Amino acid sequence: MARIIIADDTSPYTGRTGEQIALGGTESSVIRLAEALARRGHTVTVLTRTTEQLRHNGVDWAPLASAGAYRGVDLYLPVQHPRLFHLVKKPRRLAVWLIWPVNNLRHYKRVPTMWRYRPLPVVASEWQARVFSWVLPRRRDVTIIPLAVQDDWRNLPALEVPPPPRAIYASMPGRGLPWLLPVWDRLILPRAPSAELHLLGIKAFAKSYGGPVPHLPWIAEMSEAGRASVKIHPSLPRDQQREVMRAGRVLLYYGHKSEAFCLAAAEAQALGVPAVVGPIAVLPERVRDRATGYVEATPEAFAEAAIRILTDDAEWRRLHETSIATQQGLSWDEVAAEFERKVI
């Protein structure tokens, strides 16, 4: 079995943190991969910005500052950033796990580091592999291993009764709400007046701005009916978040250039929630156009697709059942097996 070090400087967290509060896609993916590798018998240590040192679910967690204590491991897997490459000395294999867009590696300060260390690039989507820059080393060796969906979000039975006309938004506010809210207010809500738009995990949003919905940015510019239709959920434990999302009728997200995998869309689709997305970055890869949702380029077409799913039970049923049947993705154990086969 292999000795593996994963390094991530996204935030100060450990595997225990993920059981206490909702974490972002990067942190939750690191936790799930590390625990899956540990369950398969590997010795796994994760270095983050935490100040703690602990063992949790078979994984050792330690501060990044302690990286100098680890030498000669079988795999060193920094997440995204070349600035992490030097922390662990003389690993048998160095791979970089690219779960954000890969264009940040083209920065003139990062290209020399990529050429000096020449890590094996491991990406989460075909889109990342397509746009991997020719100025970077080992372009032909880009390894694609999709992120997984947590087991208790997968392989659930189809719903017997369609949910009420409830749309879900589950990304960072700045990535899509300024685009979505006017479309919802002016194009969708007038034709589906009983519909609601539920915003999930807006912890930082609510903490930064506070107050009732009309005082939040962007929402304050909506009509009275539009403001009344928006329901904000704070960050929820994973099981509660799953239930809220599964009770939604459609996921709405036009997209953002920084989406390299879009775990929210993958999770929604695994739950059987149809999605309407834009042709941005990886989104067309996450949603099967006309089969599990719609990929639409214009506000008008986006709104038309959303209205169809919100109001047409037969259309919702078709998309829902196809999502359940075809969009379960990989489990984290299967992702760990792919790392064993392609990376370790």
Side-chain angles (χ1 to χ4, degrees):
M1 293 290 101
R3 293 179 60 218
I4 302 168
I5 304 292
I6 303 173
D8 176 31
D9 65 355
T10 302
S11 66
Y13 70 98
T14 68
R16 183 180 295 165
T17 312
E19 297 178 356
Q20 298 167 340
I21 62 172
L23 292 174
T26 299
E27 296 96 330
S28 62
S29 295
V30 169
I31 292 170
R32 300 298 175 192
L33 176 63
E35 292 180 354
L37 289 168
R39 286 194 299 270
R40 296 178 70 86
H42 302 288
T43 301
V44 184
T45 301
V46 182
L47 308 176
T48 73
R49 288 166 50 197
T50 183
T51 57
E52 299 181 271
Q53 190 151 349
L54 57 92
R55 185 173 180 82
H56 186 74
N57 288 345
V59 176
D60 292 313
W61 294 83
L64 280 163
S66 67
Y70 304 94
R71 297 177 66 90
V73 298
D74 296 298
L75 172 65
Y76 176 40
L77 185 68
V79 177
Q80 197 69 31
H81 296 298
R83 62 175 174 260
L84 301 174
F85 291 176
H86 72 283
L87 295 182
V88 174
K89 307 300 182 184
K90 298 183 178 180
R92 183 179 64 81
R93 166 160 279 192
L94 171 65
V96 57
W97 195 18
L98 300 168
I99 50 182
W100 300 357
V102 296
N103 56 5
N104 77 307
L105 300 178
R106 296 199 306 260
H107 191 279
Y108 73 95
K109 291 184 178 180
R110 299 184 183 112
V111 169
T113 306
M114 287 290 291
W115 276 98
R116 177 184 176 189
Y117 287 91
R118 300 194 180 195
L120 173 70
V122 181
V123 300
S125 65
E126 294 178 5
W127 173 74
Q128 289 173 291
R130 286 197 305 272
V131 301
F132 197 83
S133 176
W134 62 270
V135 305
L136 299 172
R138 305 185 69 157
R139 186 184 183 202
R140 294 181 180 176
D141 275 341
V142 175
T143 297
I144 303 173
I145 303 177
L147 301 184
V149 174
Q150 199 170 323
D151 284 347
D152 56 354
W153 291 57
R154 303 171 71 239
N155 298 313
L156 299 176
L159 296 173
E160 295 182 4
V161 179
R166 180 180 298 162
I168 302 292
Y169 176 89
S171 188
M172 295 180 183
R175 286 189 178 181
L177 278 181
W179 187 93
L180 177 61
L181 291 178
V183 172
W184 175 264
D185 194 25
R186 300 167 192 169
L187 299 179
I188 299 174
L189 196 60
R191 294 176 56 191
S194 63
E196 297 176 346
L197 176 61
H198 288 245
L199 312 181
L200 298 190
I202 314 295
K203 178 181 178 182
F205 195 33
K207 183 177 180 180
S208 298
Y209 299 104
V213 169
H215 297 301
L216 295 175
W218 314 310
I219 298 177
E221 300 174 4
M222 300 174 72
S223 67
E224 183 178 351
R227 293 194 299 271
S229 72
V230 175
K231 313 298 179 184
I232 294 181
H233 297 260
S235 293
L236 299 170
R238 289 286 291 167
D239 57 341
Q240 294 180 32
Q241 183 180 341
R242 179 193 63 217
E243 295 311 310
V244 172
M245 186 174 284
R246 186 159 162 85
R249 186 147 169 147
V250 62
L251 179 83
L252 300 181
Y253 182 42
Y254 189 69
H256 190 274
K257 63 182 180 179
S258 63
E259 292 291 2
F261 184 80
C262 196
L263 191 58
E267 290 176 336
Q269 292 271 277
L271 291 173
V273 181
V276 183
V277 300
I280 308 297
V282 78
L283 270 300
E285 199 173 319
R286 292 282 75 78
V287 178
R288 295 177 58 205
D289 190 27
R290 270 61 180 175
T292 65
Y294 290 85
V295 180
E296 301 291 0
T298 68
E300 293 77 14
F302 186 99
E304 190 67 35
I307 293 164
R308 191 177 306 126
I309 298 170
L310 287 167
T311 61
D312 185 335
D313 286 352
E315 177 67 355
W316 172 85
R317 173 68 60 189
R318 180 182 72 85
L319 300 171
H320 171 69
E321 292 185 352
T322 306
S323 294
I324 292 287
T326 66
Q327 295 287 75
Q328 296 306 304
L330 300 177
S331 69
W332 278 110
D333 185 67
E334 290 169 330
V335 169
E338 286 292 285
F339 268 87
E340 289 176 340
R341 187 169 68 89
K342 299 178 178 179
V343 181
I344 298 172

